[in-house]
Amino acid sequence: MSLFNFYSQRLNLQQSLKKFWRMNAPMTFVGVFTFVLLLLMLPGLLIDERVITGAPAWLKPCKFAFSTSVYSFTFVWLLGLFKQHQRLASLAANVTAFALVVQIIVIIVQVIRGTTSHFNFSTPEDEALWKFMEIALLFLWAATLVTAILLLLERLDNPVLAIALRFSLFLTFIGMGLGFFMTLPTPEQNSALAASQPVLHIGAHSVGVKDGGPGIPILYLSTQGGDIRLPHLLGIHAVQALPLVSWFITSVLSHLEQRTQTALMWIASFAYAMLMSLFTWQALRAQPITSPDALTLTALAGLVAVTLVATGITLFIDRYQLLKTQSFSD
């Protein structure tokens, strides 16, 4: 990379950040703040040998910092599409920014203390921090719903992007809601509570097994039981995934009729939602993502088949209409 290109890209980044800051300062701050935190915490993965719930101590805050930064910048970009209800959308963004900061700070504080952040009732301090995070996440959930409703009322110029954004925000709302399954006591915890025994944790990421067992590297999704974190993660980041699909459709497949592009976006959106549902169903049956049974594989194969058939029919109709129009013009 030449020196000129380096300074040019740096200038573009600064201009983008200034533009984002004017659009919504709190969310832009959270995006930058969590990205800087990520850079500061990455060495901890190599230096700190502690393990918390079966994973390197600093892995969780690093993952949350990265996810939060991406989500924050996506949200600010989304605010730029609002022409109506800008005040309400900005208010929802400010609430979101507050909730995201609370979440990442509690996670980091608990790592420094050498313990878990989620579902932790080990001490009064742990319980207070977890309850504070829970309240913040409720505000985050409500703000996401408000944003999704406002987006439904907004007039967007690009119909393909409009479908992607509206659908994805509701999936994000649902994905966040899946997190509440994790806060429910496990059967073992329920038994201990019923017997008035001390319970250090109430809730779990895994289903059918204890948290902290063998898991997929980096993500640490359970390989021995179900894990709600996968559909939870897919839901939260639908707001990045589906707009990327819409970009692919409108740019790479720009030769297609707009109604065909719109149909393909609907197909992709429903397929994504069904995939989330499939992984949720699998997790709640205490089935590891790495060991799907015949029923799960059949459902997945059916989803892939329906998606491919629907896509093929849509493209065939587009081609047929094109040939029909050409024949009439000749």
Side-chain angles (χ1 to χ4, degrees), residues 291-308:
S291 305
D293 62 10
L295 194 58
T296 302
L297 289 174
T298 301
L300 179 60
L303 172 58
V304 172
V306 169
T307 303
L308 290 176

mmCIF file with all atom_site columns, all heavy atoms in Angstrom, residues 291-308:
data_model
loop_
_atom_site.group_PDB
_atom_site.id
_atom_site.type_symbol
_atom_site.label_atom_id
_atom_site.label_alt_id
_atom_site.label_comp_id
_atom_site.label_asym_id
_atom_site.label_entity_id
_atom_site.label_seq_id
_atom_site.pdbx_PDB_ins_code
_atom_site.Cartn_x
_atom_site.Cartn_y
_atom_site.Cartn_z
_atom_site.occupancy
_atom_site.B_iso_or_equiv
_atom_site.pdbx_formal_charge
_atom_site.auth_seq_id
_atom_site.auth_comp_id
_atom_site.auth_asym_id
_atom_site.auth_atom_id
_atom_site.pdbx_PDB_model_num
ATOM 1   N N   . SER A 1 291 ? -23.671 -32.632 16.522 1.00 0.00 ? 291 SER A N   1
ATOM 2   C CA  . SER A 1 291 ? -24.209 -33.999 16.433 1.00 0.00 ? 291 SER A CA  1
ATOM 3   C C   . SER A 1 291 ? -25.706 -33.987 16.155 1.00 0.00 ? 291 SER A C   1
ATOM 4   O O   . SER A 1 291 ? -26.513 -34.436 16.989 1.00 0.00 ? 291 SER A O   1
ATOM 5   C CB  . SER A 1 291 ? -23.919 -34.770 17.734 1.00 0.00 ? 291 SER A CB  1
ATOM 6   O OG  . SER A 1 291 ? -22.551 -34.763 18.040 1.00 0.00 ? 291 SER A OG  1
ATOM 7   N N   . PRO A 1 292 ? -26.119 -33.468 14.998 1.00 0.00 ? 292 PRO A N   1
ATOM 8   C CA  . PRO A 1 292 ? -27.551 -33.432 14.689 1.00 0.00 ? 292 PRO A CA  1
ATOM 9   C C   . PRO A 1 292 ? -28.096 -34.841 14.461 1.00 0.00 ? 292 PRO A C   1
ATOM 10  O O   . PRO A 1 292 ? -27.416 -35.685 13.866 1.00 0.00 ? 292 PRO A O   1
ATOM 11  C CB  . PRO A 1 292 ? -27.614 -32.598 13.405 1.00 0.00 ? 292 PRO A CB  1
ATOM 12  C CG  . PRO A 1 292 ? -26.273 -32.790 12.768 1.00 0.00 ? 292 PRO A CG  1
ATOM 13  C CD  . PRO A 1 292 ? -25.295 -32.922 13.900 1.00 0.00 ? 292 PRO A CD  1
ATOM 14  N N   . ASP A 1 293 ? -29.308 -35.092 14.934 1.00 0.00 ? 293 ASP A N   1
ATOM 15  C CA  . ASP A 1 293 ? -29.909 -36.399 14.692 1.00 0.00 ? 293 ASP A CA  1
ATOM 16  C C   . ASP A 1 293 ? -30.593 -36.414 13.322 1.00 0.00 ? 293 ASP A C   1
ATOM 17  O O   . ASP A 1 293 ? -30.581 -35.419 12.585 1.00 0.00 ? 293 ASP A O   1
ATOM 18  C CB  . ASP A 1 293 ? -30.888 -36.767 15.813 1.00 0.00 ? 293 ASP A CB  1
ATOM 19  C CG  . ASP A 1 293 ? -32.056 -35.797 15.919 1.00 0.00 ? 293 ASP A CG  1
ATOM 20  O OD1 . ASP A 1 293 ? -32.230 -34.947 15.017 1.00 0.00 ? 293 ASP A OD1 1
ATOM 21  O OD2 . ASP A 1 293 ? -32.804 -35.882 16.906 1.00 0.00 ? 293 ASP A OD2 1
ATOM 22  N N   . ALA A 1 294 ? -31.203 -37.539 12.990 1.00 0.00 ? 294 ALA A N   1
ATOM 23  C CA  . ALA A 1 294 ? -31.832 -37.699 11.670 1.00 0.00 ? 294 ALA A CA  1
ATOM 24  C C   . ALA A 1 294 ? -32.957 -36.697 11.467 1.00 0.00 ? 294 ALA A C   1
ATOM 25  O O   . ALA A 1 294 ? -33.151 -36.182 10.354 1.00 0.00 ? 294 ALA A O   1
ATOM 26  C CB  . ALA A 1 294 ? -32.366 -39.128 11.526 1.00 0.00 ? 294 ALA A CB  1
ATOM 27  N N   . LEU A 1 295 ? -33.692 -36.402 12.549 1.00 0.00 ? 295 LEU A N   1
ATOM 28  C CA  . LEU A 1 295 ? -34.802 -35.456 12.442 1.00 0.00 ? 295 LEU A CA  1
ATOM 29  C C   . LEU A 1 295 ? -34.306 -34.059 12.104 1.00 0.00 ? 295 LEU A C   1
ATOM 30  O O   . LEU A 1 295 ? -34.870 -33.363 11.246 1.00 0.00 ? 295 LEU A O   1
ATOM 31  C CB  . LEU A 1 295 ? -35.594 -35.449 13.759 1.00 0.00 ? 295 LEU A CB  1
ATOM 32  C CG  . LEU A 1 295 ? -36.963 -34.787 13.755 1.00 0.00 ? 295 LEU A CG  1
ATOM 33  C CD1 . LEU A 1 295 ? -37.884 -35.439 12.734 1.00 0.00 ? 295 LEU A CD1 1
ATOM 34  C CD2 . LEU A 1 295 ? -37.584 -34.837 15.147 1.00 0.00 ? 295 LEU A CD2 1
ATOM 35  N N   . THR A 1 296 ? -33.235 -33.641 12.774 1.00 0.00 ? 296 THR A N   1
ATOM 36  C CA  . THR A 1 296 ? -32.657 -32.323 12.506 1.00 0.00 ? 296 THR A CA  1
ATOM 37  C C   . THR A 1 296 ? -32.097 -32.239 11.097 1.00 0.00 ? 296 THR A C   1
ATOM 38  O O   . THR A 1 296 ? -32.294 -31.244 10.382 1.00 0.00 ? 296 THR A O   1
ATOM 39  C CB  . THR A 1 296 ? -31.545 -32.006 13.533 1.00 0.00 ? 296 THR A CB  1
ATOM 40  O OG1 . THR A 1 296 ? -32.083 -32.059 14.849 1.00 0.00 ? 296 THR A OG1 1
ATOM 41  C CG2 . THR A 1 296 ? -30.949 -30.627 13.285 1.00 0.00 ? 296 THR A CG2 1
ATOM 42  N N   . LEU A 1 297 ? -31.395 -33.287 10.675 1.00 0.00 ? 297 LEU A N   1
ATOM 43  C CA  . LEU A 1 297 ? -30.827 -33.300 9.329  1.00 0.00 ? 297 LEU A CA  1
ATOM 44  C C   . LEU A 1 297 ? -31.915 -33.286 8.260  1.00 0.00 ? 297 LEU A C   1
ATOM 45  O O   . LEU A 1 297 ? -31.769 -32.640 7.216  1.00 0.00 ? 297 LEU A O   1
ATOM 46  C CB  . LEU A 1 297 ? -29.937 -34.524 9.152  1.00 0.00 ? 297 LEU A CB  1
ATOM 47  C CG  . LEU A 1 297 ? -28.608 -34.514 9.910  1.00 0.00 ? 297 LEU A CG  1
ATOM 48  C CD1 . LEU A 1 297 ? -27.893 -35.852 9.772  1.00 0.00 ? 297 LEU A CD1 1
ATOM 49  C CD2 . LEU A 1 297 ? -27.718 -33.371 9.418  1.00 0.00 ? 297 LEU A CD2 1
ATOM 50  N N   . THR A 1 298 ? -33.018 -33.993 8.536  1.00 0.00 ? 298 THR A N   1
ATOM 51  C CA  . THR A 1 298 ? -34.133 -33.996 7.587  1.00 0.00 ? 298 THR A CA  1
ATOM 52  C C   . THR A 1 298 ? -34.740 -32.607 7.461  1.00 0.00 ? 298 THR A C   1
ATOM 53  O O   . THR A 1 298 ? -35.041 -32.137 6.351  1.00 0.00 ? 298 THR A O   1
ATOM 54  C CB  . THR A 1 298 ? -35.220 -34.996 8.044  1.00 0.00 ? 298 THR A CB  1
ATOM 55  O OG1 . THR A 1 298 ? -34.650 -36.305 8.123  1.00 0.00 ? 298 THR A OG1 1
ATOM 56  C CG2 . THR A 1 298 ? -36.380 -35.011 7.062  1.00 0.00 ? 298 THR A CG2 1
ATOM 57  N N   . ALA A 1 299 ? -34.912 -31.945 8.606  1.00 0.00 ? 299 ALA A N   1
ATOM 58  C CA  . ALA A 1 299 ? -35.464 -30.582 8.601  1.00 0.00 ? 299 ALA A CA  1
ATOM 59  C C   . ALA A 1 299 ? -34.536 -29.619 7.872  1.00 0.00 ? 299 ALA A C   1
ATOM 60  O O   . ALA A 1 299 ? -34.984 -28.763 7.085  1.00 0.00 ? 299 ALA A O   1
ATOM 61  C CB  . ALA A 1 299 ? -35.696 -30.111 10.034 1.00 0.00 ? 299 ALA A CB  1
ATOM 62  N N   . LEU A 1 300 ? -33.226 -29.772 8.085  1.00 0.00 ? 300 LEU A N   1
ATOM 63  C CA  . LEU A 1 300 ? -32.247 -28.914 7.407  1.00 0.00 ? 300 LEU A CA  1
ATOM 64  C C   . LEU A 1 300 ? -32.259 -29.163 5.906  1.00 0.00 ? 300 LEU A C   1
ATOM 65  O O   . LEU A 1 300 ? -32.244 -28.213 5.106  1.00 0.00 ? 300 LEU A O   1
ATOM 66  C CB  . LEU A 1 300 ? -30.850 -29.171 7.973  1.00 0.00 ? 300 LEU A CB  1
ATOM 67  C CG  . LEU A 1 300 ? -29.706 -28.372 7.345  1.00 0.00 ? 300 LEU A CG  1
ATOM 68  C CD1 . LEU A 1 300 ? -29.940 -26.874 7.517  1.00 0.00 ? 300 LEU A CD1 1
ATOM 69  C CD2 . LEU A 1 300 ? -28.365 -28.773 7.945  1.00 0.00 ? 300 LEU A CD2 1
ATOM 70  N N   . ALA A 1 301 ? -32.323 -30.433 5.525  1.00 0.00 ? 301 ALA A N   1
ATOM 71  C CA  . ALA A 1 301 ? -32.367 -30.771 4.098  1.00 0.00 ? 301 ALA A CA  1
ATOM 72  C C   . ALA A 1 301 ? -33.634 -30.223 3.454  1.00 0.00 ? 301 ALA A C   1
ATOM 73  O O   . ALA A 1 301 ? -33.608 -29.715 2.316  1.00 0.00 ? 301 ALA A O   1
ATOM 74  C CB  . ALA A 1 301 ? -32.304 -32.289 3.925  1.00 0.00 ? 301 ALA A CB  1
ATOM 75  N N   . GLY A 1 302 ? -34.753 -30.296 4.175  1.00 0.00 ? 302 GLY A N   1
ATOM 76  C CA  . GLY A 1 302 ? -36.010 -29.735 3.663  1.00 0.00 ? 302 GLY A CA  1
ATOM 77  C C   . GLY A 1 302 ? -35.923 -28.237 3.481  1.00 0.00 ? 302 GLY A C   1
ATOM 78  O O   . GLY A 1 302 ? -36.407 -27.700 2.465  1.00 0.00 ? 302 GLY A O   1
ATOM 79  N N   . LEU A 1 303 ? -35.294 -27.562 4.443  1.00 0.00 ? 303 LEU A N   1
ATOM 80  C CA  . LEU A 1 303 ? -35.137 -26.105 4.343  1.00 0.00 ? 303 LEU A CA  1
ATOM 81  C C   . LEU A 1 303 ? -34.274 -25.736 3.144  1.00 0.00 ? 303 LEU A C   1
ATOM 82  O O   . LEU A 1 303 ? -34.618 -24.820 2.374  1.00 0.00 ? 303 LEU A O   1
ATOM 83  C CB  . LEU A 1 303 ? -34.504 -25.569 5.630  1.00 0.00 ? 303 LEU A CB  1
ATOM 84  C CG  . LEU A 1 303 ? -34.098 -24.090 5.635  1.00 0.00 ? 303 LEU A CG  1
ATOM 85  C CD1 . LEU A 1 303 ? -35.301 -23.192 5.353  1.00 0.00 ? 303 LEU A CD1 1
ATOM 86  C CD2 . LEU A 1 303 ? -33.441 -23.722 6.962  1.00 0.00 ? 303 LEU A CD2 1
ATOM 87  N N   . VAL A 1 304 ? -33.161 -26.437 2.955  1.00 0.00 ? 304 VAL A N   1
ATOM 88  C CA  . VAL A 1 304 ? -32.273 -26.167 1.817  1.00 0.00 ? 304 VAL A CA  1
ATOM 89  C C   . VAL A 1 304 ? -33.002 -26.430 0.499  1.00 0.00 ? 304 VAL A C   1
ATOM 90  O O   . VAL A 1 304 ? -32.927 -25.635 -0.445 1.00 0.00 ? 304 VAL A O   1
ATOM 91  C CB  . VAL A 1 304 ? -31.000 -27.026 1.912  1.00 0.00 ? 304 VAL A CB  1
ATOM 92  C CG1 . VAL A 1 304 ? -30.170 -26.902 0.631  1.00 0.00 ? 304 VAL A CG1 1
ATOM 93  C CG2 . VAL A 1 304 ? -30.167 -26.621 3.122  1.00 0.00 ? 304 VAL A CG2 1
ATOM 94  N N   . ALA A 1 305 ? -33.742 -27.538 0.456  1.00 0.00 ? 305 ALA A N   1
ATOM 95  C CA  . ALA A 1 305 ? -34.456 -27.900 -0.776 1.00 0.00 ? 305 ALA A CA  1
ATOM 96  C C   . ALA A 1 305 ? -35.515 -26.866 -1.130 1.00 0.00 ? 305 ALA A C   1
ATOM 97  O O   . ALA A 1 305 ? -35.613 -26.427 -2.285 1.00 0.00 ? 305 ALA A O   1
ATOM 98  C CB  . ALA A 1 305 ? -35.096 -29.280 -0.610 1.00 0.00 ? 305 ALA A CB  1
ATOM 99  N N   . VAL A 1 306 ? -36.320 -26.461 -0.153 1.00 0.00 ? 306 VAL A N   1
ATOM 100 C CA  . VAL A 1 306 ? -37.372 -25.468 -0.395 1.00 0.00 ? 306 VAL A CA  1
ATOM 101 C C   . VAL A 1 306 ? -36.763 -24.143 -0.846 1.00 0.00 ? 306 VAL A C   1
ATOM 102 O O   . VAL A 1 306 ? -37.267 -23.490 -1.775 1.00 0.00 ? 306 VAL A O   1
ATOM 103 C CB  . VAL A 1 306 ? -38.229 -25.271 0.870  1.00 0.00 ? 306 VAL A CB  1
ATOM 104 C CG1 . VAL A 1 306 ? -39.145 -24.061 0.724  1.00 0.00 ? 306 VAL A CG1 1
ATOM 105 C CG2 . VAL A 1 306 ? -39.054 -26.521 1.159  1.00 0.00 ? 306 VAL A CG2 1
ATOM 106 N N   . THR A 1 307 ? -35.656 -23.747 -0.212 1.00 0.00 ? 307 THR A N   1
ATOM 107 C CA  . THR A 1 307 ? -34.991 -22.490 -0.569 1.00 0.00 ? 307 THR A CA  1
ATOM 108 C C   . THR A 1 307 ? -34.466 -22.538 -2.007 1.00 0.00 ? 307 THR A C   1
ATOM 109 O O   . THR A 1 307 ? -34.640 -21.584 -2.779 1.00 0.00 ? 307 THR A O   1
ATOM 110 C CB  . THR A 1 307 ? -33.831 -22.195 0.400  1.00 0.00 ? 307 THR A CB  1
ATOM 111 O OG1 . THR A 1 307 ? -34.324 -22.149 1.739  1.00 0.00 ? 307 THR A OG1 1
ATOM 112 C CG2 . THR A 1 307 ? -33.161 -20.870 0.062  1.00 0.00 ? 307 THR A CG2 1
ATOM 113 N N   . LEU A 1 308 ? -33.833 -23.653 -2.363 1.00 0.00 ? 308 LEU A N   1
ATOM 114 C CA  . LEU A 1 308 ? -33.286 -23.793 -3.713 1.00 0.00 ? 308 LEU A CA  1
ATOM 115 C C   . LEU A 1 308 ? -34.388 -23.840 -4.769 1.00 0.00 ? 308 LEU A C   1
ATOM 116 O O   . LEU A 1 308 ? -34.274 -23.216 -5.839 1.00 0.00 ? 308 LEU A O   1
ATOM 117 C CB  . LEU A 1 308 ? -32.417 -25.050 -3.806 1.00 0.00 ? 308 LEU A CB  1
ATOM 118 C CG  . LEU A 1 308 ? -31.095 -25.007 -3.042 1.00 0.00 ? 308 LEU A CG  1
ATOM 119 C CD1 . LEU A 1 308 ? -30.384 -26.354 -3.133 1.00 0.00 ? 308 LEU A CD1 1
ATOM 120 C CD2 . LEU A 1 308 ? -30.194 -23.890 -3.558 1.00 0.00 ? 308 LEU A CD2 1
#
